[in-house]
């Protein structure tokens, strides 16, 4: 069935869609938690750079999955199913963009609040000379938020690069598959032995495993790079 066509390295189109929906729920919950923390800051609450970074990472991953789903629904043969999946993918992409805008606004508000607090501390310091400790606290928080934004930006750029590479690789794989099907048709026509056909299929499986290993290696490198930037 066209709806259940395989996604190389990512499951079926339906499975990728379900993964994106789960990430959307988690990202939406994270944004709501950040906003609750923000509203409680004035009465003793606190900010969470770790949570904001995790939400940013989830949104970037959703956008990466949307690129993959956008490529997949275009190859569905039935027009009705193709139109249905197009609307689903567009809805996920719109929700991810909305969450990204909410998170960006949160970062701006949080930075503005830090700047205002620093200015108040500086005014108090000029009055009584006792604000050095307060300034140090806000400087550390500002540096932590800046580090989160830098790490988020690098992670998003890495996701974008990885997505472009995967899209290009998938396109090349489609061309190779078409060429392979044509070659198999020719081989079947001339009556080539089954052993040669099995050899070709085995090579295709080896190529698939090479692709999986490459994707896992990319994820591991990104993880260690993220840990190093922390």
């Amino acid at each position: 069935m066209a709806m259940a066509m395989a996604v190389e390295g990512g499951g079926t189109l339906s499975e990728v869609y379900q993964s994106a929906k789960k990430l959307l729920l988690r990202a939406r919950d994270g944004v709501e938690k950040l906003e609750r923390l923000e509203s409680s800051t004035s009465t003793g609450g606190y900010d969470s750079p770790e949570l904001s970074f995790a939400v940013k990472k989830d949104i970037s991953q959703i956008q990466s999955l949307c690129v993959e789903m956008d490529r997949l629904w275009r190859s569905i043969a039935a027009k009705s199913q193709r139109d249905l999946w197009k609307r689903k993918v567009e809805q996920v992409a719109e929700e991810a963009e909305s969450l990204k805008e909410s998170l960006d606004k949160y970062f701006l508000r949080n930075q503005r609040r830090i700047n205002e607090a620093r200015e108040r501390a500086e005014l108090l310091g000029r009055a009584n000379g006792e604000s050095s400790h307060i300034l140090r606290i806000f400087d550390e928080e500002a540096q932590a938020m800046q580090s989160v934004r830098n790490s988020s930006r690098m992670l998003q750029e890495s996701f974008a690069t990885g997505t472009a590479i995967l899209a290009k690789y998938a396109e090349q794989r489609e061309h190779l598959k078409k060429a392979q099907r044509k070659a198999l048709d020719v081989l079947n026509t001339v009556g080539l032995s089954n052993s040669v056909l099995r050899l070709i299929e085995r090579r295709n499986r080896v190529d698939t495993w090479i692709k999986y290993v490459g994707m896992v290696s990319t994820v591991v490198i990104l993880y260690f790079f993220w840990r190093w930037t922390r």
Side-chain angles (χ1 to χ4, degrees):
M1 182 181 292
M3 186 184 304
M5 62 189 302
V7 181
E8 297 178 9
T12 65
L13 176 56
S14 298
E15 290 170 347
V16 176
Y17 175 78
Q18 291 301 323
S19 297
K21 292 292 288 184
K22 289 179 182 179
L23 287 171
L24 271 177
L25 290 175
R26 191 167 68 185
R28 187 181 300 114
D29 182 67
V31 170
E32 292 174 354
K33 287 181 179 178
L34 287 172
E35 291 175 347
R36 288 196 297 269
L37 289 173
E38 181 183 22
S39 64
S40 67
T41 299
S42 60
T43 58
Y46 59 95
D47 297 323
S48 178
E50 294 82 6
L51 178 58
S52 60
F53 178 80
V55 173
K56 186 75 172 181
K57 180 180 177 182
D58 285 343
I59 294 174
S60 297
Q61 189 172 354
I62 294 168
Q63 292 173 331
S64 177
L65 292 176
C66 285
V67 173
E68 181 66 9
M69 289 190 294
D70 186 75
R71 181 185 66 82
L72 289 170
W73 70 256
R74 296 177 187 277
S75 60
I76 297 177
K79 186 178 185 301
S80 59
Q81 291 295 327
R82 190 167 61 248
D83 293 340
L84 174 62
W85 278 107
K86 178 183 178 182
R87 289 193 298 272
K88 286 185 175 182
V89 173
E90 288 176 346
Q91 182 180 10
V92 172
E94 289 172 358
E95 292 180 17
E97 185 61 28
S98 176
L99 289 175
K100 182 178 181 298
E101 291 176 358
S102 298
L103 187 61
D104 289 341
K105 290 178 180 178
Y106 164 80
F107 281 137
L108 289 175
R109 291 194 304 270
N110 192 62
Q111 186 61 49
R112 184 167 57 248
R113 186 172 63 253
I114 292 173
N115 291 338
E116 291 172 353
R118 183 188 294 111
E119 291 174 359
R120 288 195 299 269
E122 290 174 350
L123 291 174
L124 290 173
R126 285 195 293 267
N128 55 30
E130 296 177 356
S131 64
S132 59
H133 179 65
I134 298 175
L135 287 174
R136 185 169 62 254
I137 292 175
F138 286 122
D139 284 339
E140 290 174 354
E141 185 176 359
Q143 291 174 4
M145 292 302 300
Q146 184 63 39
S147 176
V148 167
R149 285 193 294 273
N150 292 339
S151 299
S152 298
R153 184 175 62 255
M154 287 187 290
L155 182 61
Q156 190 170 12
E157 292 173 355
S158 299
F159 266 118
T161 302
T163 298
I165 293 174
L166 289 177
K168 187 64 177 179
Y169 181 79
E171 181 180 352
Q172 293 175 354
R173 289 281 295 170
E174 290 297 329
H175 291 313
L176 290 175
K177 279 187 175 181
K178 291 179 181 178
Q180 184 186 31
R181 283 195 293 269
K182 291 180 180 179
L184 289 175
D185 290 340
V186 173
L187 293 176
N188 286 326
T189 301
V190 300
L192 198 63
S193 65
N194 290 333
S195 62
V196 176
L197 294 178
R198 286 195 297 271
L199 179 61
I200 294 174
E201 293 176 353
R202 190 181 307 115
R203 177 58 184 273
N204 186 45
R205 288 195 297 270
V206 171
D207 290 342
T208 300
W209 277 106
I210 291 174
K211 180 197 65 180
Y212 290 156
V213 171
M215 294 181 67
V216 171
S217 299
T218 300
V219 171
V220 171
I221 291 172
L222 286 176
Y223 173 77
F224 281 108
F225 177 75
W226 172 75
R227 294 287 299 177
W228 179 75
T229 57
R230 299 278 296 174

